[in-house]
Amino acid sequence: MELNERKLNILKAIVKDYIETAEAVGSRTISKKHDLGVSAATIRNEMADLEELGYLIQPHTSAGRVPSEKGYKLYVDLLMSQNELRDDEKLLIEQCLEKNVNHIKDLIHETSKLLSQLTNYTTVAVTKSLVNQSVIKHIQLVGMGDNKILLIVVTDKGDIKNANLLTNINLDQSKLNLISDNLTNKLSGKSITELDNRLIAFIKYEISEYSAFIDELVNALNFNISEEDLSVSLNGATNIFSYPEFNDIIKAKSFLNMLEKKETITSMVRSKGIQKDNINIIIGSDNDCELAKDCSIVTATYNIDKDLVGRISFIGPTRMDYARIYSIVNYMSLLFNKK
């Protein structure tokens, strides 16, 4: 049994109708709404074949059919076409990008917020957050006992980096506070890349009693700052309640609990799915996260000069309007590449 053009057209019609209505689709509905040039009886036979092939599911004996995960995957991979956005939607996206064009991180996160409102899906923005691209605002040292010290660096962007230090010098918290204040006075307003040998030598001269400790601190700073961190923002978490698939309170709570964990979110958006241009589409059970098996995730990746600057992901039921999301992120990519 082969997937001929007629079967593909019927599958495409069923997927689109089910996305729109969340109700099982029958042959009569397809016959009336879509000009396929065949009778309802023929459509019914083709639907039975599509079910046998695993692309459709019949929830109840007398009901119509709904797409299976396999059906959604075929639709996304082969049948989905890009939709035209409305002029007002284009304008909103353009204004959001223009407003934040000088701050790439803000641009990604603010656009994610707007896209959640436009689509009524949950969106997640993930950006790189490298402190050496930021300016130091405050430094704090906290004694943790057994000569262990926690170094905390706060930047002007609101990012917080920390590192653990081990020292042979016995320093109580009052002394650590004095060192913290001194370092903040000397380094506030400077980026990590400005920590050259002359500046470090000056700081060690100013607090010569703890010069050996300053070497350990700077080494920890440079090591820690070189590590990539991620800034994650979540928008429209409760949008999922708009979809009948999540009327079950237990399922809805599980979804919200999943979104509370940064590690889970970043793992989800990095999972591999169907790749189309700069867009990755993960459907249902392909999600690595067990709690996301009833969801689909569409992730757009944005780069500047081939360097990854961020991702925006849409999370919704498997009955997600993939074509609309695809159109939105493609339009955003078009604008983004002009910046």
Side-chain angles (χ1 to χ4, degrees):
M1 190 185 303
E2 63 177 14
L3 269 177
N4 53 34
E5 185 177 355
R6 187 163 66 194
K7 284 186 175 65
L8 291 174
N9 286 336
I10 291 171
L11 176 62
K12 182 178 181 180
I14 291 172
V15 171
K16 292 176 69 174
D17 280 16
Y18 186 64
I19 286 172
E20 182 181 336
T21 67
E23 296 179 356
V25 183
S27 55
R28 287 186 179 180
T29 301
I30 297 297
S31 179
K32 289 178 180 178
K33 288 184 64 175
H34 303 274
D35 185 17
L36 299 179
V38 292
S39 67
T42 300
I43 293 173
R44 188 159 51 251
N45 291 334
E46 296 285 32
M47 288 170 67
D49 289 346
L50 286 167
E51 183 181 0
E52 187 177 339
L53 289 167
Y55 295 103
L56 296 178
I57 298 170
Q58 189 172 27
H60 308 289
T61 306
S62 58
R65 268 80 166 185
V66 302
S68 65
E69 283 188 15
K70 184 178 179 181
Y72 282 125
K73 290 174 184 176
L74 181 63
Y75 169 77
V76 165
D77 202 26
L78 185 64
L79 305 175
M80 180 176 68
S81 56
Q82 187 167 327
N83 298 333
E84 182 65 25
L85 300 183
R86 300 195 311 266
D87 289 342
D88 62 317
E89 293 175 329
K90 290 181 179 180
L91 181 61
L92 284 171
I93 296 172
E94 290 167 9
Q95 290 174 338
C96 187
L97 264 66
E98 194 62 38
K99 181 180 178 182
N100 298 284
V101 68
N102 294 321
H103 304 282
I104 296 300
K105 178 179 171 182
D106 292 341
L107 186 154
I108 297 291
H109 289 276
E110 288 300 314
T111 306
S112 173
K113 186 187 300 182
L114 170 66
L115 297 184
S116 176
Q117 295 167 357
L118 282 179
T119 63
N120 202 35
Y121 292 121
T122 300
T123 61
V124 177
V126 180
T127 57
K128 282 186 176 181
S129 175
L130 298 177
V131 178
N132 62 348
Q133 295 175 342
S134 304
V135 170
I136 295 170
K137 183 178 180 180
H138 182 75
I139 292 177
Q140 182 65 51
L141 298 168
V142 180
M144 305 299 289
D146 298 326
N147 290 340
K148 294 178 183 177
I149 297 171
L150 178 66
L151 164 66
I152 302 171
V153 182
V154 182
T155 76
D156 62 327
K157 303 294 185 185
D159 296 316
I160 299 174
K161 296 288 289 187
N162 60 77
N164 294 313
L165 304 177
L166 283 175
T167 178
N168 295 324
I169 306 173
N170 186 22
L171 297 168
D172 60 26
Q173 190 57 51
S174 61
K175 291 180 180 178
L176 290 174
N177 288 339
L178 288 173
I179 297 173
S180 300
D181 292 343
N182 205 313
L183 288 171
T184 297
N185 289 334
K186 299 290 187 300
L187 300 179
S188 180
K190 293 181 170 58
S191 69
I192 295 301
T193 55
E194 294 179 88
L195 292 183
D196 56 18
N197 291 332
R198 290 180 60 186
L199 179 58
I200 293 168
F202 174 70
I203 295 171
K204 290 170 70 174
Y205 173 78
E206 287 284 296
I207 46 177
S208 56
E209 184 180 354
Y210 308 114
S211 60
F213 172 66
I214 297 302
D215 284 334
E216 296 176 31
L217 186 148
V218 171
N219 287 336
L221 252 182
N222 285 328
F223 172 78
N224 196 48
I225 296 309
S226 67
E227 294 178 339
E228 179 182 301
D229 196 6
L230 294 173
S231 176
V232 178
S233 66
L234 184 69
N235 299 286
T238 58
N239 286 349
I240 201 70
F241 293 113
S242 302
Y243 300 97
E245 295 92 329
F246 286 83
N247 282 344
D248 184 329
I249 192 66
I250 296 176
K251 186 182 289 188
K253 280 186 175 180
S254 296
F255 178 82
L256 294 178
N257 289 338
M258 172 186 72
L259 297 180
E260 289 179 356
K261 301 174 182 176
K262 177 179 175 179
E263 296 80 6
T264 301
I265 294 175
T266 53
S267 174
M268 283 164 51
V269 302
R270 287 172 169 173
S271 298
K272 295 297 183 183
I274 299 171
Q275 198 72 30
K276 296 179 77 70
D277 303 320
N278 70 322
I279 301 167
N280 186 55
I281 302 171
I282 309 165
I283 298 174
S285 60
D286 284 349
N287 282 298
D288 291 338
C289 175
E290 186 65 32
L291 295 173
K293 298 301 184 185
D294 294 320
C295 301
S296 285
I297 303 171
V298 179
T299 299
T301 303
Y302 297 98
N303 302 276
I304 293 181
D305 297 328
K306 297 183 179 180
D307 290 329
L308 173 67
V309 294
R311 296 182 175 95
I312 295 179
S313 298
F314 298 77
I315 307 175
T318 52
R319 188 182 54 85
M320 177 183 277
D321 192 344
Y322 300 98
R324 175 164 166 74
I325 302 302
Y326 183 63
S327 303
I328 287 174
V329 295
N330 268 345
Y331 186 69
M332 184 178 163
S333 295
L334 181 67
L335 297 176
F336 194 88
N337 290 332
K338 292 180 179 179
K339 302 301 180 184

